[in-house]
Structures are given as C-alpha cells and as structure tokens.
Amino acid sequence: MKMLINVPETVVADALRGMAAAHPELTVDVENRVVVRRDAPVAGKVALVSGGGSGHEPLHAGFVGPGMLSAACPGEVFTSPVPDQMVRAAAAVDSGAGVLFVVKNYTGDVLNFEMAAELAEDEGIQVTQVVVDDDVAVSDSTFTAGRRGTGATLFVEKIAGAAADEGAPLERVASVARQVNGSSRSFGVALSAVTTPAKGSPTFDLPSGELELGIGIHGEPGRERRPMMTSGEIADFAVDAVLEDLRPSGPVLALVNGMGATPLLELYGFNAEVQRVLSERGVPVARTLVGNYVTSLDMAGCSVTLCQVDEELLRLWDAPVETPALRWGR
C-alpha cells in the first residue's frame, strides 16, 4: 500500500511535529505525546482532557482550543495512550477548578484513564470522568465491554467544552457531558477495509461488491455484510438503526461523518438522503455537520450520529469554538 509516511514507527511523531508547525496556538509535546492549548491553564476554568489511539484525526488533537478541549493525548495508531500522558495533560491544564476526562468506551482507554485519574488525584488534581458509548450497532465488540464510543465524542467535547468556557463548575460540566452522551446514538458503515501503517495491508477482508453495516472505527465487525447498496438505502438502514434506539421526541443535531477516504461530494450526497429519512420520520434537525471528524485512517464509509437537544444544549453547541478542525463564532 502506498502511504505518505517515512517509516511506520515514526508516523505519530511526524504528524505531531507537522501539527506543531501548522498550529502555533497549540503547545505540542512530541516526545511525551501531549497537545495543549497554549493559553492553558485558564484561571478558574474546568479543563477538558481526552485522547485515544491515533488514526481517527481530527479526533482528538484537532479539537484542542477555546470552546472545546484543553488537551489531548494521542496514542499509537489504534492504541490507547498511557496514563503518564493523561496525567501530564491534566497537570498542564488544571487551574484548580478540576479536570474532566472524556473517554471513548474502549477497554484500553477506560482502564488507562481510570488509572490516570487515580494518579492525578494523588497529585491534588480533582478529576471526573465521562465515558462515551453511543454506537448502537453492537452491544459488545472486540475492543469493548458495552457499546463503542464513536461520533458522539465530538458532541460531548464541543458542548461540555462550551459549558466549561462559560465558567460552569466541574459537576455541571460533567453533567452536561453525560446528558449529551445519553442523548446521542451512532451507526457506521464501511465500504472498504482500513489499512494501518504497521500492517501495510487491509486489516480485514471486505470484497469489492460488499459493505459492512455497523462497522467500528478500528474495523471491528458490525451487524452484517450485504451487497453494495445505494446512498439512499444506506441512509434508510443507518438512520432507522439510530432512531430505533434513540427515539427522539424533539430536534436533533446531525453529524454525517466520513471514515477518512470518502470525499465530501459523496458525504454531502449522503447527507441529502439522511435529511430525507429524518424528514420522513418526522424528526426535526436543528443543526447539521458534514465532514471527516471521527475517522478510521483510509477507510471508505460513513457514520451517522444524532443527538437530541434542548434549548440549552443547542445554545452550547452554537457557542464560539476555535480549534484546528472545528471553528465558528469567534
């Protein structure tokens, strides 16, 4: 497989060096694998720290900045960061108001963030954790006990980040994060397998005429394989899977997310079908975001995430944000 890399062993470090050069508003510690907003710690502000394996960019480092994360910890490709990274990040951004860890529900991430929280508490840093588990495709998978954490991570980090920027205390920021997670559901579809730099070839076999419904962001199996479907048929299946579980009674935020190799031309066309299905099901859409945000390296495919919102959550979603990958209102 052709990749724009030097050697697999330096992929993450090289990417972090490039990120540092492109974004002077961030402090990027390449050696210790921590990305921090340059003005941290912000006096009196709850800090948000997240992280996970690399390969899902812009998640999480691309969401560091005003209105969102205070710091992110990138692990190796598809591998959890280690507790030392998380403790360094917490120490770098803690202003005394406490730190919220946003954790995707994967076994390595959960265990390492739990250990980091204990170590941070030993250093006098107050830490609360919120686990994101929005994927309705499967109840358990290779990497998780319970549902996987996927696209709703963006909603949690943005909305809870806005609450923190407004000066909300740690308990309130954590409550908002849990409300967003509880109000969100996701479903993903793969059109091709993912290739990691270390392996250099697809990590699983997906014949050219088939797709995987309910795929995970590391290539974990989904609900079933089917012959290739049209965009409209995929939208019907994915949106119905989300709505069957979420059952929204009000307006929703909609994220139409690319898995990394699907161009915007296709994603916008798919969004048209998603909006059609939601309209047919009587679900009002308050805001829509389309693009590659929670990716899986070079996987072709998409995911749909819906979050039911009230006026307060919508206000926090609309609040200003300024990160490498998400910015408006400033």
Side-chain angles (χ1 to χ4, degrees), residues 192-328:
S192 71
V194 60
T195 301
T196 62
K199 191 171 188 293
S201 61
T203 56
F204 61 94
D205 177 48
L206 184 59
S208 60
E210 296 182 1
L211 52 72
E212 180 101 27
L213 295 167
I215 195 76
I217 58 174
H218 305 97
E220 310 98 317
R223 288 188 179 180
E224 62 179 290
R225 288 189 178 182
R226 289 190 181 183
M228 188 60 194
M229 302 157 65
T230 67
S231 177
E233 291 168 339
I234 295 171
D236 281 320
F237 193 101
V239 174
D240 282 344
V242 170
L243 294 180
E244 181 180 356
D245 197 283
L246 182 60
R247 300 186 183 278
S249 58
V252 298
L253 301 175
L255 170 62
V256 172
N257 173 69
M259 291 295 194
T262 299
L264 277 172
L265 179 70
E266 295 177 34
L267 289 177
Y268 277 120
F270 181 64
N271 179 55
E273 297 298 336
V274 168
Q275 300 293 326
R276 171 189 59 78
V277 179
L278 290 170
S279 177
E280 291 173 355
R281 306 300 187 266
V283 179
V285 179
R287 303 286 187 275
T288 301
L289 187 64
V290 179
N292 289 286
Y293 293 102
V294 183
T295 64
S296 184
L297 290 170
D298 64 342
M299 183 187 287
C302 60
S303 63
V304 177
T305 304
L306 302 179
C307 175
Q308 180 172 320
V309 290
D310 55 22
E311 289 185 4
E312 176 65 3
L313 293 187
L314 187 58
R315 184 187 67 80
L316 291 170
W317 174 258
D318 287 339
V321 60
E322 189 173 354
T323 71
L326 209 66
R327 55 180 63 211
W328 57 69

Side-chain angles (χ1 to χ4, degrees), residues 65-310:
M68 215 159 173
L69 294 178
S70 305
C73 309
E76 291 297 325
V77 173
F78 290 1
T79 303
S80 171
V82 297
D84 283 352
Q85 290 174 261
M86 302 160 186
V87 175
R88 284 193 184 94
V93 299
D94 179 41
S95 68
V99 176
L100 178 67
F101 282 168
V102 179
V103 188
K104 299 191 306 303
N105 189 33
Y106 296 95
T107 302
D109 289 8
V110 171
L111 292 176
N112 285 345
F113 270 104
E114 285 179 350
M115 186 180 300
E118 294 175 3
L119 294 171
E121 295 276 3
D122 290 343
E123 295 187 10
I125 302 170
Q126 183 183 5
V127 176
T128 297
Q129 300 182 72
V130 171
V131 175
V132 181
D133 56 355
D134 54 304
D135 186 2
V136 303
V138 292
S139 58
D140 292 284
S141 74
T142 308
F143 289 77
T144 67
R147 290 180 168 177
R148 304 175 291 215
T150 58
T153 312
L154 183 155
F155 288 153
V156 170
E157 293 176 354
K158 169 62 185 76
I159 294 174
D165 265 26
E166 291 183 351
L170 181 58
E171 297 78 7
R172 171 60 181 160
V173 176
S175 175
V176 167
R178 293 189 180 102
Q179 180 185 355
V180 173
N181 179 63
S183 301
S184 300
R185 301 289 189 276
S186 297
F187 191 90
V189 179
L191 308 183
S192 71
V194 60
T195 301
T196 62
K199 191 171 188 293
S201 61
T203 56
F204 61 94
D205 177 48
L206 184 59
S208 60
E210 296 182 1
L211 52 72
E212 180 101 27
L213 295 167
I215 195 76
I217 58 174
H218 305 97
E220 310 98 317
R223 288 188 179 180
E224 62 179 290
R225 288 189 178 182
R226 289 190 181 183
M228 188 60 194
M229 302 157 65
T230 67
S231 177
E233 291 168 339
I234 295 171
D236 281 320
F237 193 101
V239 174
D240 282 344
V242 170
L243 294 180
E244 181 180 356
D245 197 283
L246 182 60
R247 300 186 183 278
S249 58
V252 298
L253 301 175
L255 170 62
V256 172
N257 173 69
M259 291 295 194
T262 299
L264 277 172
L265 179 70
E266 295 177 34
L267 289 177
Y268 277 120
F270 181 64
N271 179 55
E273 297 298 336
V274 168
Q275 300 293 326
R276 171 189 59 78
V277 179
L278 290 170
S279 177
E280 291 173 355
R281 306 300 187 266
V283 179
V285 179
R287 303 286 187 275
T288 301
L289 187 64
V290 179
N292 289 286
Y293 293 102
V294 183
T295 64
S296 184
L297 290 170
D298 64 342
M299 183 187 287
C302 60
S303 63
V304 177
T305 304
L306 302 179
C307 175
Q308 180 172 320
V309 290
D310 55 22

